[in-house]
Amino acid sequence: MKRLIAVVPILFKNHSYKQGDELPVEDAEFVEAWIKNRAAIWQEENEKLEKVAKAKPAAAPTGLCGDAYPSSGLEQDLVGRPPSKKARGAQPEPTKGRRKSSA
């Protein structure tokens, strides 16, 4: 049986569908528009959606080469740019989400 799968995030009837979620097929006009605009595809149940490639930096990191103090190691010294969190030994920041109530 074929399913309609979202290729991009879609907001439909106050519900947000993420990439890979199954979309409702009750409204034929929306189904036709999603397929026409390549926002959704028909997929067999046993098929898997291809993963999207992640972006890679196209240029060198910002900053000027030079001696920085304290030194982070070979080829990591860039004047005007702080060392990486790992090189500084920085602690991870706590999440800033709301706490769930216990009630």
Side-chain angles (χ1 to χ4, degrees):
M1 185 172 149
K2 288 190 173 186
R3 303 179 312 160
L4 189 63
I5 303 296
V7 176
V8 296
I10 295 175
L11 177 65
F12 179 65
K13 293 187 178 179
N14 289 339
H15 189 274
S16 182
Y17 296 93
K18 298 177 188 170
Q19 179 184 4
D21 289 349
E22 186 173 355
L23 295 169
V25 293
E26 301 91 48
D27 196 336
E29 290 180 31
F30 278 100
V31 171
E32 184 180 333
W34 290 331
I35 292 174
K36 181 180 177 184
N37 294 314
R38 297 182 181 152
I41 57 170
W42 287 107
Q43 182 182 42
E44 291 292 333
E45 283 193 34
N46 55 2
E47 290 180 38
K48 296 220 176 195
L49 191 61
E50 293 181 18
K51 290 192 174 187
V52 178
K54 293 196 175 193
K56 296 179 184 175
T62 58
L64 301 172
C65 292
D67 294 331
Y69 181 80
S71 178
S72 298
L74 295 173
E75 299 181 13
Q76 293 183 6
D77 291 338
L78 291 175
V79 177
R81 181 185 176 100
S84 68
K85 288 183 178 184
K86 185 176 180 182
R88 290 186 310 219
Q91 299 294 323
E93 294 182 19
T95 57
K96 296 181 181 176
R98 287 181 20 167
R99 292 187 180 186
K100 294 182 180 177
S101 63
S102 59

